[in-house]
C-alpha cells in the first residue's frame, strides 16, 4: 500500500493474490511485487517504522527475502530501537547497509545550541549549553525534556547546575518508556547494577547473585536500553548518565536496605581482580569501615605511586576516629595524604599525633593496636612504624624545628626505616638537603638532593620525583646554573607524565620554573607559553605552597609580556592563598610580588602601603631577612629616589649573598647597586658592580635581570663596554660578545614594563596578542601566523582585530608603529 502511493501500477497483481480466496505462496507474491518495483524505473525508499515491535518470525523471513532479492531501485529503511534478527553482518561486510546508531543520532555541540536557543527559545550561555550537552550526552529527547522543564523558569543558571535524572520530565519519560516495560528480573538487574560506574558480565553476576549477566547486557545493548559499550569487544558497558540517575533513585526508594550489600559485593569482586581503587569506592559506599581500612593498607603503595592522595583522603574520610586512633598504620597513611593536599598541615599533624599515641601503646603491650588487616605487629613492624612516624614529623613540621633537631630526627628515621622504604627515605634526604639550603650551603645540599632522587626512583614515585627534580633545578638556578636548572625542570616534566589524573598539579612547579629560566634568557614567547600551561595545572592543585612560586614567576612573565591585567591576577591569587596561611615565608613572597609589580608600574603609593604593612626599613639585616623581599624593597627605595638608603642596604646584602653562593640573587643585587651608585655620581663603583654582575651572568646567559631594570642599566652597560674597549674597565666583567648581546637585547626590550608604556593602553594586549604582533612584525602573513601557532586562520584574524582596536590602528603599519612607540616590540 505504501509503495502504491508512489506508483499505482506497483503491486497490483501481488495485491490481488493476497486478496484471493485461494492461498498463494508468500514467496510467489513477493517475487511479483519485486518485479514491479524493478520495472518502475525510479528509485524509492520504503520505511518500516517501529520495526522493534515485530515478533513474528514469518515477517522477519519476509523482510530477509526482500533484502536478498530486492531491486536496485528499492532502498529499504528500518527504524528500530533494537537490531532485527536479519543477516546484518553479511550486508555490513558487503557494504550494502548504512547504519545510523546512537552515536550518530546524538546532537553535536552546534546542534544542541541551535535546538536550545533557536527552537526552544532559551537564553542560555555557552557554558550552560555545554553542560546540558554533557549531561544528556546529546540525547535529543533528554534535551527536549530538559528544555521543557526550563521554560518559564527565572533561575535557568541554577537549574542547569542542578540538572540531573531527578527532573520530573526525565523521570517520567524513562520510567514510562523504559523501566516499566522490562520484565521483573531485568528490572531488578537494572536497579541492582545501577550502583556500578561500569558493567561487565562477571561483575554484574557478583553483585546480583545471578549467572546470566553477560546475556542480559548483550540484550540491553541490542534493545538500546540506555547501555553504552565501553570497548569494541562488548565486555564493558555503562549506563547513560540520566538513566543511571533514575535507576539509583528507584533503588533508593524501593530497596534501600540492599544498597550496602550490593556495594560490598562489588568491593569484594574488585579486590579479587586486584582493582583496589574501585574496591575502595564501593567499600566506602557500603560503610564497611574494616574493609576500607584493609584495602587502604593493601593499596597504599600503588596509590602513592600514582599520587592519588586526594582519593586516599576521600576514602578515609568516613572512618570513625576511634578506629584511626587504634591503627597506627592507618593514621600514618592518612597523615601522608593530608601532607600532600592540605596547605597548613594541621590535619597531618593531628593524624601523626594519633599514630604516635597508638605506637606508644603498642610498644607498651597494648593488644588493641593492630595492623589494618587485624594481624599482630611484631618488633620489626614497630620499628618501621616509628621510622615512618619520624619521617612524617619531619615532612609537616620541619619549619618549626631547628636545623639540629631536624638533623637528629632525620638520622633516627633513616636508622629505623627498612631499606625498601625508598619513598620515605628519599623524602628524608630531601629534608636534609633543605637544612643545607636554609643554612645557604648550596654545594652541600646538592648531594642530598641526588640521594633523594635515587631513593625515589627506586620506589618509582613520580609525584615525589617530579617535586624533588624541580627542587634540584631551583637550586641550580639559584647558583647561577641556568642550563642545569632547565634540564632538571624538563626531567621533572617527564617524571610527572606517569602520575594519575588527580595529581597532574605536579606539572605546575616545573613548568613555572622552566618559564622563569626562559624569561631570564630572553625567550619571552616560550616563557608565556609554559607559564600559561603551568597556571592551568595550578587550578587543579590541592593548594600546596609551591603555588606561590608559580604565581610569583607568572607575575614576572606577564609584566615582561606587557599583560598587566594577568600580572595583577597572579598577585590577587597569591594574596587569597596567603590570607589563611601562617608560614612567614608566604607573606614575604607575597610582599615581594606586590613590590615588584607596583614598582615596575610606578604605583609607588601602593608599594608604600606594602612596605608599611611589612615594616620594611633600610635597617634590614641581610643575614636574617628574606633576600627576595630585601631586593624588592631595594627596588622600591630606588623608585622613591632614596638612592643612598638603597646603596647602603645593597652594600650590606651583596657580601651576604656572595658568601651564601646565591649567584642569581647576587646578580640582581649588583644590578640594583649599579643604579644606586650611578645616581649618586659614583661611576667607578657603578661599573665595578655591573662588571661583576656581567661576569656572573655570562655562563648562564642571564638577560632579564639586566633588561628588566630599564634604560639606566642599558646606559651603564654601554659605559662598561666602552671602558673595557679602552682598557679602563673594572677587573671583573663579562666578555665583549656577552655585553653586546645584553645591550642590543635590552634596547629592544626597553620600556616594556614601564608605566609610560603599557598602561598607556586602555586595555593591555594579551600574551597571545603580543605573540601574534611580533610575528606580524617579522613579516609573517595571517596564514603563516596560524600555522606557526597551530591555530585557525579565523582566530588569527580575530586577534588582529582586537590588536587594532586596542592600539587604535586601522591597518598593519599603523599598528606596528603604535606598538613600537609603546615598546611592545
Amino acid at each position: 500500500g505504501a509503495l502504491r502511493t508512489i506508483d499505482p501500477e506497483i503491486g497490483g497483481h501481488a495485491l490481488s493474490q493476497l486478496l484471493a480466496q485461494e492461498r498463494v505462496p508468500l514467496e510467489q507474491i513477493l517475487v511479483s511485487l519485486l518485479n514491479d518495483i524493478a520495472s518502475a524505473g525510479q528509485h524509492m525508499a520504503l520505511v518500516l517504522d517501529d520495526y522493534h515491535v515485530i515478533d513474528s518470525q514469518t515477517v522477519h523471513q519476509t523482510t530477509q527475502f526482500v533484502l536478498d532479492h530486492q531491486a536496485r531501485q528499492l532502498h529499504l529503511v528500518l527504524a528500530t530501537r533494537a537490531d532485527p534478527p536479519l543477516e546484518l553482518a553479511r550486508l555490513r561486510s558487503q557494504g550494502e547497509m548504512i547504519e545510523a546508531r546512537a552515536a550518530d543520532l546524538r546532537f553535536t555541540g552546534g546542534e544542541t545550541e541551535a535546538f536550545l536557543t533557536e527552537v526552544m527559545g532559551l537564553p542560555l550561555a555557552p557554558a550552560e549549553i555545554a553542560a546540558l550537552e554533557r549531561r544528556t550526552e546529546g540525547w535529543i529527547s533528554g534535551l527536549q525534556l530538559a528544555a521543557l522543564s526550563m521554560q518559564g523558569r527565572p533561575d535557568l543558571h541554577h537549574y542547569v547546575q542542578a540538572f540531573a535524572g531527578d527532573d520530573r520530565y526525565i523521570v517520567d519519560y524513562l520510567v514510562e518508556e523504559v523501566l516499566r516495560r522490562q520484565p521483573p528480573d531485568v528490572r531488578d538487574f537494572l536497579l541492582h547494577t545501577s550502583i556500578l560506574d561500569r558493567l561487565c558480565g562477571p561483575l554484574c553476576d557478583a553483585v546480583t547473585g545471578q549467572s546470566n549477566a553477560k546475556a542480559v547486557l548483550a540484550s540491553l545493548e541490542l534493545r538500546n536500553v540506555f547501555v553504552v559499550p565501553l570497548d569494541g569487544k562488548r565486555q564493558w558497558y555503562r549506563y547513560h548518565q540520566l538513566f543511571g540517575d533514575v535507576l539509583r533513585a528507584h533503588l533508593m526508594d524501593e530497596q534501600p536496605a540492599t544498597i550496602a550489600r550490593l556495594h560490598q559485593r562489588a568491593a569484594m569482586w574488585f579486590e579479587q581482580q586486584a582493582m583496589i581503587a574501585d574496591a575502595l569506592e564501593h567499600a566506602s559506599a557500603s560503610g564497611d569501615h574494616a574493609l576500607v581500612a584493609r584495602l587502604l593498607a593493601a593499596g597504599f603503595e600503588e596509590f602513592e605511586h600514582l599520587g592519588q592522595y586526594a582519593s586516599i583522603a576521600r576514602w578515609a574520610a568516613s572512618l570513625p576516629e576511634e578506629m584511626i586512633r587504634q591503627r597506627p598504620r592507618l593514621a600514618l597513611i592518612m597523615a601522608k595524604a593530608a601532607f600532600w593536599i592540605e596547605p597548613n598541615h594541621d590535619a597531618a599533624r593531628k593524624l601523626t599525633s594519633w599514630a604516635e599515641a597508638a605506637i606508644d601503646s603498642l610498644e607498651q603491650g597494648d593488644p588493641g593496636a593492630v595492623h589494618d588487616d587485624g594481624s599482630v605487629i611484631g618488633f620489626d613492624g614497630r620499628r618501621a612504624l616509628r621510622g615512618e612516624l619520624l619521617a612524617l614529623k619531619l615532612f609537616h613540621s620541619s619549619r618549626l624545628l631547628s636545623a639540629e633537631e631536624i638533623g637528629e630526627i632525620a638520622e633516627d628515621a633513616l636508622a629505623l626505616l627498612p631499606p625498601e622504604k625508598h619513598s620515605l627515605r628519599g623524602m628524608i634526604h630531601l629534608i636534609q638537603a633543605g637544612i643545607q639550603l636554609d643554612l645557604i650551603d648550596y654545594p652541600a645540599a646538592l648531594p642530598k638532593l641526588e640521594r633523594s632522587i635515587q631513593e625515589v626512583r627506586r620506589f618509582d614515585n613520580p609525584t615525589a620525583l617530579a617535586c624533588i627534580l624541580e627542587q634540584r633545578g631551583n637550586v641550580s638556578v639559584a647558583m647561577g646554573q641556568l642550563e642545569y636548572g632547565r634540564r632538571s625542570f624538563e626531567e621533572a616534566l617527564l617524571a610527572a607524565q606517569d602520575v594519575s589524573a588527580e595529581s597532574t598539579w605536579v606539572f605546575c612547579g616545573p613548568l613555572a620554573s622552566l618559564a622563569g629560566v626562559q624569561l631570564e634568557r630572553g625567550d619571552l614567547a616560550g616563557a608565556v607559553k609554559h607559564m600559561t600551561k603551568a597556571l592551568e595545572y595550578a587550578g587543579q592543585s590541592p593548594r600546596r605552597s609551591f603555588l606561590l612560586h608559580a604565581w610569583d614567576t607568572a607575575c614576572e612573565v606577564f609584566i615582561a609580556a606587557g599583560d598587566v591585567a594577568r600580572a595583577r591576577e597572579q598577585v590577587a591569587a597569591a594574596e587569597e592563598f596567603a590570607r589563611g596561611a601562617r608560614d612567614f615565608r608566604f607573606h614575604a613572597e607575597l610582599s615581594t610580588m606586590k613590590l615588584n609589580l607596583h614598582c615596575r608600574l610606578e604605583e609607588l603609593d601602593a608599594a608604600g602601603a606594602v612596605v608599611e604593612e611589612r615594616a620594611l626599613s633600610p635597617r634590614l639585616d641581610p643575614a636574617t631577612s628574606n633576600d627576595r623581599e630585601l631586593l624588592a624593597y631595594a627596588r622600591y627605595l630606588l623608585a622613591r629616589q632614596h638612592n643612598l638608603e638603597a646603596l647602603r642596604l645593597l652594600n650590606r646584602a651583596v657580601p651576604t649573598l656572595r658568601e651564601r653562593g646565591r649567584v642569581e640573587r647576587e646578580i640582581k643585587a649588583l644590578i640594583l647597586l649599579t643604579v644606586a651608585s650611578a645616581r649618586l655620581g659614583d661611576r667607578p663603583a657603578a661599573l665595578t658592580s655591573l662588571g661583576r654582575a656581567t661576569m656572573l651572568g655570562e655562563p648562564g646567559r642571564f638577560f632579564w635581570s639586566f633588561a628588566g631594570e630599564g634604560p639606566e642599566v642599558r646606559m651603564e652597560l654601554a659605559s662598561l663596554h666602552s671602558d673595557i674597549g679602552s682598557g679602563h674597565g673594572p677587573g671583573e666583567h663579562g666578555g665583549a660578545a656577552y655585553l653586546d648581546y645584553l645591550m642590543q637585547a635590552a634596547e629592544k626590550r626597553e620600556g616594556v614594563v614601564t608605566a609610560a608604556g603599557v598602561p598607556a593602553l586602555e586595555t593591555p594586549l594579551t600574551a597571545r596578542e603580543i605573540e601574534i604582533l611580533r610575528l606580524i612584525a617579522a613579516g609573517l602573513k595571517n596564514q603563516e601566523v596560524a600555522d606557526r601557532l597551530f591555530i585557525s586562520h579565523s582566530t588569527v584574524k580575530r586577534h588582529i582585530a582586537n590588536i587594532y582596536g586596542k592600539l587604535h590602528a586601522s591597518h598593519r603599519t599603523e599598528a606596528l608603529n603604535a606598538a613600537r612607540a609603546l615598546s611592545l616590540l
Side-chain angles (χ1 to χ4, degrees), residues 644-692:
L644 184 58
E645 292 175 338
L647 180 80
R648 290 170 176 169
L649 177 61
L650 290 165
N651 271 328
R652 296 200 312 275
V654 167
T656 302
L657 293 171
R658 185 173 306 169
E659 179 184 349
R660 293 175 173 179
R662 301 299 298 264
V663 174
E664 178 202 22
R665 304 286 162 76
E666 185 184 352
I667 291 171
K668 296 179 184 298
L670 287 166
I671 294 169
L672 293 175
L673 189 56
T674 298
V675 175
S677 299
R679 288 181 181 178
L680 292 168
D682 191 346
R683 300 304 295 260
L687 295 183
T688 297
S689 297
L690 187 59
R692 178 169 176 80

Side-chain angles (χ1 to χ4, degrees), residues 33 46 146 151:
L33 175 62
L46 174 63
Q151 286 182 336

Side-chain angles (χ1 to χ4, degrees), residues 193-341:
T193 57
S194 67
I195 66 159
L196 302 170
D197 291 330
R198 49 189 177 143
L199 319 162
C200 72
L203 171 58
C204 292
D205 283 339
V207 170
T208 63
Q210 300 175 3
S211 59
N212 63 337
K214 185 175 181 180
V216 174
L217 287 170
S219 173
L220 291 172
E221 184 194 4
L222 186 68
R223 294 185 289 119
N224 288 306
V225 185
F226 288 91
V227 176
V228 182
L230 296 177
D231 57 46
K233 298 180 179 179
R234 298 302 197 266
Q235 292 180 349
W236 286 94
Y237 299 84
R238 68 170 174 83
Y239 291 126
H240 188 288
Q241 294 181 66
L242 296 177
F243 188 53
D245 287 346
V246 170
L247 292 176
R248 285 185 286 275
H250 275 269
L251 178 65
M252 178 65 73
D253 289 342
E254 299 173 20
Q255 305 176 35
T258 67
I259 295 175
R261 184 174 73 253
L262 295 171
H263 279 295
Q264 262 184 331
R265 291 175 179 175
M268 294 172 65
W269 186 87
F270 278 116
E271 183 184 14
Q272 291 169 0
Q273 310 305 312
M275 302 167 73
I276 306 300
D278 296 281
L280 270 163
E281 293 289 352
H282 291 284
S284 300
S286 75
D288 189 335
H289 301 317
L291 180 58
V292 170
R294 179 166 59 78
L295 291 171
L296 275 174
F300 177 71
E301 287 195 354
E302 177 188 349
F303 305 143
E304 188 175 30
H305 164 75
L306 297 172
Q308 293 180 282
Y309 299 107
S311 290
I312 293 170
R314 178 169 52 81
W315 291 323
S318 62
L319 295 180
E321 180 178 322
E322 59 271 19
M323 170 182 276
I324 302 168
R325 285 180 176 273
Q326 291 176 359
R327 301 193 180 198
R329 174 69 175 146
L330 178 61
L332 288 172
I333 286 173
M334 294 175 64
K336 284 183 187 177
F339 167 76
W340 283 100
I341 66 173

Side-chain angles (χ1 to χ4, degrees), residues 112-192:
T112 300
E113 180 181 8
F115 174 73
L116 292 174
T117 59
E118 298 175 19
V119 178
M120 302 304 291
L122 295 170
L124 295 172
E128 294 167 338
I129 293 170
L132 287 171
E133 182 196 359
R134 285 194 303 271
R135 198 75 183 90
T136 60
E137 300 183 48
W139 173 40
I140 301 169
S141 295
L143 285 167
Q144 185 176 29
L145 294 168
L148 290 172
S149 300
M150 287 186 282
Q151 286 182 336
R153 285 180 179 266
D155 56 343
L156 288 183
H157 176 70
H158 292 97
Y159 176 83
V160 172
Q161 287 184 318
F163 177 71
D166 56 0
D167 181 87
R168 68 182 189 278
Y169 290 103
I170 298 290
V171 172
D172 290 347
Y173 180 91
L174 291 173
V175 170
E176 293 293 335
E177 289 289 318
V178 182
L179 201 52
R180 286 181 184 167
R181 297 188 179 194
Q182 307 305 319
D185 59 330
V186 174
R187 190 176 187 278
D188 279 344
F189 178 91
L190 292 170
L191 293 178
H192 292 168

